[in-house]
């Protein structure tokens, strides 16, 4: 799986957490790509070139 982080940094543990969270909502989705856009303690997530995108959510810090 390829992931891109824009506007900040994220630990691998945090990336895994978001991936697992998304898999719980969309168990049938095969995640090939994820993009995280970080701004002001929020993160917006897009999977597989926009197939699924999440509005910015507050980020646990």
């Amino acid at each position: 799986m390829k992931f891109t982080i824009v506007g900040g940094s994220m630990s691998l543990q945090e990336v895994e957490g978001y991936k697992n969270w998304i898999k719980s909502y969309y168990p049938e989705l095969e995640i090939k790509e994820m993009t995280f856009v970080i701004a002001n303690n929020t993160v917006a997530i897009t999977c597989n070139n926009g197939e699924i995108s999440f509005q910015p959510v507050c980020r646990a810090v």
Side-chain angles (χ1 to χ4, degrees), residues 1 3 11-21 36:
M1 186 191 81
F3 60 90
S11 69
L12 200 51
Q13 186 178 2
E14 195 175 1
V15 169
E16 283 297 312
Y18 282 117
K19 187 174 89 173
N20 292 336
W21 176 67
F36 301 94

Side-chain angles (χ1 to χ4, degrees), residues 33-52:
E33 277 183 58
M34 291 179 81
T35 303
F36 301 94
V37 180
I38 301 168
N40 302 327
N41 285 340
T42 64
V43 58
I45 305 167
T46 306
C47 301
N48 300 345
N49 295 323
E51 181 181 347
I52 292 185

Side-chain angles (χ1 to χ4, degrees), residues 13-32:
Q13 186 178 2
E14 195 175 1
V15 169
E16 283 297 312
Y18 282 117
K19 187 174 89 173
N20 292 336
W21 176 67
I22 291 166
K23 277 188 173 294
S24 72
Y25 277 92
Y26 299 97
E28 74 289 346
L29 179 69
E30 185 188 343
I31 300 173
K32 296 185 192 85

